[in-house]
Amino acid sequence: MQVVAGLEGEVLQTKRGNKFTVGQHRNCLVVTPASTGLPRNIAKSDVVKFVKTYNESRSLRPADYQDVTYNSSYYVVLAAIYEKG
């Protein structure tokens, strides 16, 4: 979740061009799609499942995580930013 702290307030974009912002609230990741403006609180356990699978595959294709999480299109953007350092 450390990568999220440095991205709060920035508009990010998925591979399909959908814009969103990220933040943190308590122990949750908060993703707010620009299309709806409605924040989604994502439990840390969901993020952990993605990270575990990502660490094994290093894939930045959201489709590779369909069985892991519904939010993979957001997570792969964050993973790519993290990898760039």
Side-chain angles (χ1 to χ4, degrees), residues 40-67:
R40 296 181 189 174
N41 291 332
I42 302 169
K44 186 176 179 180
S45 60
D46 193 52
V47 177
V48 169
K49 284 191 289 186
F50 169 82
V51 170
K52 181 178 184 238
T53 305
Y54 172 77
N55 285 337
E56 294 169 0
S57 71
R58 290 293 199 235
S59 173
L60 292 175
R61 294 184 49 215
D64 292 342
Y65 302 97
Q66 286 181 340
D67 60 333

Side-chain angles (χ1 to χ4, degrees), residues 2-78:
Q2 195 172 21
V3 69
V4 173
L7 297 172
E8 289 192 60
E10 283 190 46
V11 177
L12 305 171
Q13 190 168 316
T14 67
K15 291 188 179 230
R16 291 191 174 194
N18 298 318
K19 295 180 181 182
F20 68 100
T21 58
V22 294
Q24 295 180 99
H25 181 70
R26 297 192 177 149
N27 207 21
C28 292
L29 174 68
V30 180
V31 172
T32 305
S35 61
T36 64
L38 299 173
R40 296 181 189 174
N41 291 332
I42 302 169
K44 186 176 179 180
S45 60
D46 193 52
V47 177
V48 169
K49 284 191 289 186
F50 169 82
V51 170
K52 181 178 184 238
T53 305
Y54 172 77
N55 285 337
E56 294 169 0
S57 71
R58 290 293 199 235
S59 173
L60 292 175
R61 294 184 49 215
D64 292 342
Y65 302 97
Q66 286 181 340
D67 60 333
V68 177
T69 178
Y70 174 76
N71 297 296
S72 60
S73 59
Y74 305 115
Y75 297 161
V76 296
V77 173
L78 298 175

